């Protein structure tokens, strides 16, 4: 009889434990408690040199450095971070489903996105710009792109925006990726490549391209990079605090120099939390 009583009691405890576990996972915000031995899952780009790139040795880039700093301030060690690829079209869905705890992936804060997710930051103010050959002295202003061959990447609106608003005579040359544009820019098949200056600086900072390209410095748009979290997540305030500490202890400045320095990227000062430039 005693054996049966113990077994029944154990079953009750097990059932209660399973119920509590199930209830505790409903919000998809596993990283909000921090430092409790759990993993934290962070979304980044895997294919953007200088920002978020998967390499044989791990992950590197400015977004990776920012995300790692934030995770450590939340109480997580390097081996507790799980990196997940966050492609541009998937970011809101990944946050809403709870696939990741937060996303740092050249994620510009916009009113449309803010209806679906919350943003901490911004942590970087970037601008749409153009990348040119280092010895190019013909393109000094956006209007000089008229009649120039401008790399147009499938799915990107950057080159089309330049043609519609600034240089209607620009000749768009289609390429599958930004990486594919770089050899074309180097050998003269195209005259310029356009997207966010931070992304351009990351590509230009690669070892094989150092000293071969320069940024135009045109500042065509403002891109406020934020860290995306699930709507209503308590991580937003914690991440904002971590970002402020990263700027205060100079870790932010070091990350900029480490990742963008070889391209002579003239970055904006670290933005203040909540200061969204239109």
């Amino acid at each position: 009889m005693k054996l049966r009583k113990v077994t029944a009691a154990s079953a009750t405890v097990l059932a209660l434990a399973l119920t509590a576990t199930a209830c505790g996972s409903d919000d998809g915000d596993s990283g909000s408690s921090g430092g409790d031995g759990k993993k934290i899952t962070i979304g980044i780009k895997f294919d953007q040199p200088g920002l978020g790139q998967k390499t044989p040795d791990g992950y590197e880039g400015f977004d990776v450095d920012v995300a790692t700093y934030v995770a450590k301030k939340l109480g997580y060690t390097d081996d507790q971070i799980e990196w997940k690829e966050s492609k541009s079209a998937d970011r809101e869905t990944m946050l809403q489903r709870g696939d990741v705890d937060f996303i740092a992936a050249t994620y510009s804060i916009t009113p449309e996105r803010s209806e679906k997710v919350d943003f901490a930051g911004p942590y970087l103010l970037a601008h749409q710009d153009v990348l040119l050959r280092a010895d190019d002295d013909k393109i000094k202003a956006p209007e000089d792109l008229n009649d120039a061959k401008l790399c147009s990447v499938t799915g990107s609106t950057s080159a089309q925006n330049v043609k519609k608003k600034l240089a209607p005579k620009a000749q768009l040359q289609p390429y599958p990726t930004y990486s594919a544009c770089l050899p074309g820019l180097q050998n003269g098949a195209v005259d310029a490549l356009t997207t966010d200056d931070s992304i351009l600086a990351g590509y230009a900072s690669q070892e094989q391209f150092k000293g071969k390209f320069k940024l135009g410095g045109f500042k065509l748009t403002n891109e406020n990079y934020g860290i995306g979290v699930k709507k209503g997540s308590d991580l937003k305030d914690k991440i904002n605090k971590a970002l402020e500490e990263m700027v205060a202890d100079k870790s932010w400045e070091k990350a900029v120099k480490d990742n963008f320095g070889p391209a002579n990227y003239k970055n904006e000062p670290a933005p203040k939390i909540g200061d969204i430039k239109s």
Side-chain angles (χ1 to χ4, degrees), residues 126-130 157-162 166 194-197 200 217-223:
H127 308 281
Q128 185 182 342
D129 200 356
V130 295
T157 60
S158 298
Q160 287 84 348
N161 287 340
V162 169
L166 300 168
T194 183
T195 187
D196 294 359
D197 54 6
L200 295 173
F218 297 162
K219 297 185 178 181
L220 303 175
T221 63
N222 289 328
E223 304 296 336

Side-chain angles (χ1 to χ4, degrees), residues 33 52 77 96 103 121 127 143 158 174 182:
S33 56
T77 58
Q96 291 169 339
I103 290 177
H127 308 281
E143 54 267 26
S158 298
L182 293 175

Side-chain angles (χ1 to χ4, degrees), residues 141-184:
E143 54 267 26
D144 294 334
L145 293 168
N146 277 306
D147 297 321
K149 295 176 182 178
L150 184 62
C151 179
S152 177
V153 174
T154 304
S156 171
T157 60
S158 298
Q160 287 84 348
N161 287 340
V162 169
K163 183 175 177 66
K164 289 178 181 178
K165 300 176 182 179
L166 300 168
K169 294 182 181 180
Q171 302 173 35
L172 301 188
Q173 303 292 312
Y175 281 76
T177 64
Y178 292 119
S179 294
C181 287
L182 293 175

Side-chain angles (χ1 to χ4, degrees), residues 34-60:
D36 52 8
K38 296 180 181 179
K39 296 280 186 180
I40 186 166
T41 305
I42 303 172
I44 57 170
K45 293 289 181 66
F46 278 14
D47 58 354
Q48 284 187 339
L51 286 151
Q53 186 175 28
K54 184 177 181 179
T55 73
D57 298 322
Y59 302 88
E60 61 184 29

Side-chain angles (χ1 to χ4, degrees), residues 137-274:
D137 58 0
K138 295 180 181 179
I139 300 175
K140 299 178 180 179
E143 54 267 26
D144 294 334
L145 293 168
N146 277 306
D147 297 321
K149 295 176 182 178
L150 184 62
C151 179
S152 177
V153 174
T154 304
S156 171
T157 60
S158 298
Q160 287 84 348
N161 287 340
V162 169
K163 183 175 177 66
K164 289 178 181 178
K165 300 176 182 179
L166 300 168
K169 294 182 181 180
Q171 302 173 35
L172 301 188
Q173 303 292 312
Y175 281 76
T177 64
Y178 292 119
S179 294
C181 287
L182 293 175
L185 180 58
Q186 186 176 356
N187 64 32
V190 295
D191 299 307
L193 162 62
T194 183
T195 187
D196 294 359
D197 54 6
S198 58
I199 297 174
L200 295 173
Y203 281 115
S205 294
Q206 296 178 92
E207 189 64 36
Q208 67 269 35
F209 296 127
K210 286 181 179 178
K212 296 179 179 179
F213 302 119
K214 63 182 179 182
L215 290 164
F218 297 162
K219 297 185 178 181
L220 303 175
T221 63
N222 289 328
E223 304 296 336
N224 303 272
Y225 289 176
I227 293 181
V229 298
K230 188 175 181 179
K231 202 75 174 174
S233 172
D234 64 350
L235 277 178
K236 176 181 176 179
D237 291 339
K238 297 176 182 178
I239 293 173
N240 278 334
K241 182 179 179 182
L243 292 174
E244 289 176 335
E245 292 176 359
M246 186 176 189
V247 173
D249 68 14
K250 307 298 183 182
S251 296
W252 184 91
E253 184 177 345
K254 181 179 185 301
V256 169
K257 291 180 179 178
D258 288 348
N259 293 289
F260 304 130
N264 294 318
Y265 175 52
K266 295 179 176 58
N267 63 282
E268 298 279 5
K272 293 183 179 180
I273 300 301

Side-chain angles (χ1 to χ4, degrees), residues 14 16 27 50 65 81 106 132 142 163 193-194 206 224:
L14 177 60
L16 289 172
D27 62 0
D65 289 347
I81 299 174
T106 59
L132 307 167
K163 183 175 177 66
L193 162 62
T194 183
Q206 296 178 92
N224 303 272

